[in-house]
Amino acid sequence: MNRIHRLVAAVLVSPILWGLAGGSAFFALVHAGTLGRDFFPRYCAGHPVNYAETYLFFVGLAVLVLRALEVAAERQRLNRIHLGPAPAGTQSPHEAQELLARLERLPQAWQKDSLVRRLRAGLEYVFRRGSSNGLQEQLAHLADADAERAHAGLGLLRLIVWAIPILGFLGTVIGITMAIASLRPTALEESMTEVTAGLGVAFDTTALALALSIVLMFVQHSVDRAGAALLEEVARRAEEELLGRFPEIDLTGPEAAAVRRLAETMIRSLEQLVRRQAELWQQALDEAQSRWATMAAEAGQQLQSALAGALADTMQVRTRQEAEARRFEETLARLAAAIHLLNARLGEPSRSGILSLERARRTGEAA
């Protein structure tokens, strides 16, 4: 529900909505003939550019009216916003929190007022600092910020004041183009009506744009003056409520000097502690780096030794295998020689027997 309420409130204070509504009501009266049948229909409803200029004028006027109503409401509530009478002497800066709670209890519609924002910011400053030193400069800074905020709040109006004359120049270009396009040299008398109508559009749109811009600028000047007067009154009231209510710390007395010397001593001690800590960290880093380098070197040596040993063992095994292979080859060679010799010896008697049998066979045949 709160979101819906905020949305409805934002719509109700929208200058675009009120400007369009005001422009529509104005044109309803124009077309009904309530405002006359010559002046307003010609200058405000004679061309689409005139409609656009008039609608923009009403939106800008709505911005100014809403701003004027806001300024009037704030001025009316100005004397009803206060922090209460200050006690005898000065208040403790810690009591600023109670004053902030008092501001929070104000109606919700008042929370956006310039004076309420200024007082809240000043009390928060005192509560944070623990004194009112520099409060006047802070209030001056807040006044400048409110002036910039008020200037930025009329950004839409400045855009409209710039856009309306541009639309007038656009209407001038359109009207002159219409007049030139309708000009027929072969029938000058018949085309003069259309030419004058185009020129009328050109002059009417420009005249309307300039007139509406002048009206908006005069109204803006009046609203700006009222807003500036309100901000001056807010600055005066804020100074009355805050300045002198809280104590200031004397920065030139003996107590302040003692505090300053104590602070300087603490700063020097802190600097020495930081330097000592940095040295310890650097020493620890150097030691860790040295240990890491030593460990890396030892690991490298161990790895090298292990690789060298493994390589030596491999070479020994290889040499032993080669020797065994050579012995095996020699054994095979001797065995082959023995077999060859054995075959040779076994083959000689067989051949003698065969020869004897052959001779016997031949002797038998001869007989």
Side-chain angles (χ1 to χ4, degrees):
M1 294 298 293
N2 292 332
R3 182 179 300 177
I4 296 177
H5 290 164
R6 288 196 297 268
L7 180 61
V8 172
V11 170
L12 290 179
V13 296
S14 172
I16 298 177
L17 176 64
W18 287 108
L20 294 177
S24 299
F26 172 76
F27 282 116
L29 295 176
V30 169
H31 291 298
T34 306
L35 301 179
R37 299 186 179 278
D38 185 20
F39 183 80
F40 287 107
R42 173 185 172 183
Y43 285 99
C44 299
H47 193 268
V49 175
N50 299 82
Y51 279 93
E53 292 172 350
T54 307
Y55 270 113
L56 283 179
F57 168 77
F58 275 99
V59 172
L61 190 62
V63 172
L64 292 172
V65 170
L66 291 174
R67 176 58 182 165
L69 293 176
E70 181 182 353
V71 170
E74 284 195 32
R75 180 171 289 279
Q76 186 179 5
R77 295 191 294 260
L78 200 61
N79 295 326
R80 301 168 63 182
I81 300 173
H82 54 81
L83 299 177
T90 57
Q91 285 183 281
S92 171
H94 297 287
E95 297 181 10
Q97 195 168 6
E98 299 178 1
L99 298 176
L100 285 171
R102 183 180 300 178
L103 290 178
E104 293 295 332
R105 289 193 294 270
L106 293 174
Q108 184 65 30
W110 298 15
Q111 297 298 324
K112 295 182 179 180
D113 287 2
S114 300
L115 181 57
V116 175
R117 293 199 309 268
R118 190 82 57 87
L119 293 176
R120 183 185 296 113
L123 291 173
E124 290 175 351
Y125 176 83
V126 172
F127 183 74
R128 289 195 307 268
R129 296 290 298 270
S131 68
S132 62
N133 291 64
L135 180 58
Q136 189 168 6
E137 291 78 6
Q138 179 68 12
L139 292 178
H141 171 70
L142 294 174
D144 294 338
D146 284 341
E148 292 178 359
R149 187 181 298 108
H151 179 74
L154 297 179
L156 178 60
L157 175 65
R158 290 192 295 274
L159 177 62
I160 290 174
V161 172
W162 170 84
I164 289 178
I166 298 299
L167 284 176
F169 297 148
L170 178 62
T172 301
V173 174
I174 292 174
I176 293 175
T177 303
M178 292 171 56
I180 295 175
S182 59
L183 184 61
R184 296 189 298 274
T186 57
L188 291 176
E189 295 183 359
E190 290 80 359
S191 62
M192 286 304 296
T193 303
E194 298 177 1
V195 171
T196 54
L199 294 176
V201 170
F203 296 137
D204 290 347
T205 53
T206 304
L208 178 64
L210 296 177
L212 296 181
S213 299
I214 291 173
V215 172
L216 286 179
M217 285 190 289
F218 273 106
V219 178
Q220 180 186 2
H221 175 70
S222 301
V223 174
D224 285 342
R225 288 189 58 185
L230 174 65
L231 291 180
E232 291 178 0
E233 185 65 19
V234 167
R236 185 185 65 81
R237 286 291 316 282
E239 292 179 355
E240 290 179 355
E241 294 286 343
L242 295 176
L243 294 183
R245 180 182 288 268
F246 301 101
E248 293 187 4
I249 297 178
D250 187 8
L251 300 178
T252 59
E255 296 179 355
V259 172
R260 187 163 51 250
R261 286 194 299 271
L262 178 61
E264 292 175 354
T265 303
M266 293 179 64
I267 291 174
R268 287 194 298 269
S269 301
L270 184 60
E271 291 177 351
Q272 294 176 358
L273 179 61
V274 170
R275 285 196 297 269
R276 179 57 181 167
Q277 188 67 33
E279 292 174 358
L280 292 175
W281 286 346
Q282 186 63 38
Q283 183 179 357
L285 291 174
D286 293 340
E287 292 177 357
Q289 186 176 5
S290 177
R291 286 197 298 270
W292 173 256
T294 303
M295 292 174 61
E298 292 176 355
Q301 292 177 358
Q302 293 177 0
L303 180 61
Q304 185 177 4
S305 300
L307 291 175
L311 183 60
D313 294 340
T314 302
M315 293 299 296
Q316 291 178 1
V317 172
R318 179 67 177 175
T319 303
R320 189 166 52 252
Q321 289 177 351
E322 290 178 353
E324 291 177 355
R326 285 194 298 272
R327 286 196 297 271
F328 180 73
E329 290 177 355
E330 293 174 357
T331 302
L332 288 178
R334 287 195 295 270
L335 181 60
I339 292 172
H340 181 71
L341 180 61
L342 181 61
N343 288 333
R345 290 180 179 180
L346 290 176
E348 289 179 356
S350 299
R351 190 178 299 112
S352 300
I354 293 171
L355 292 175
S356 298
L357 289 175
E358 184 64 26
R359 284 195 300 273
R361 185 181 63 80
R362 290 177 179 177
T363 303
E365 290 178 354

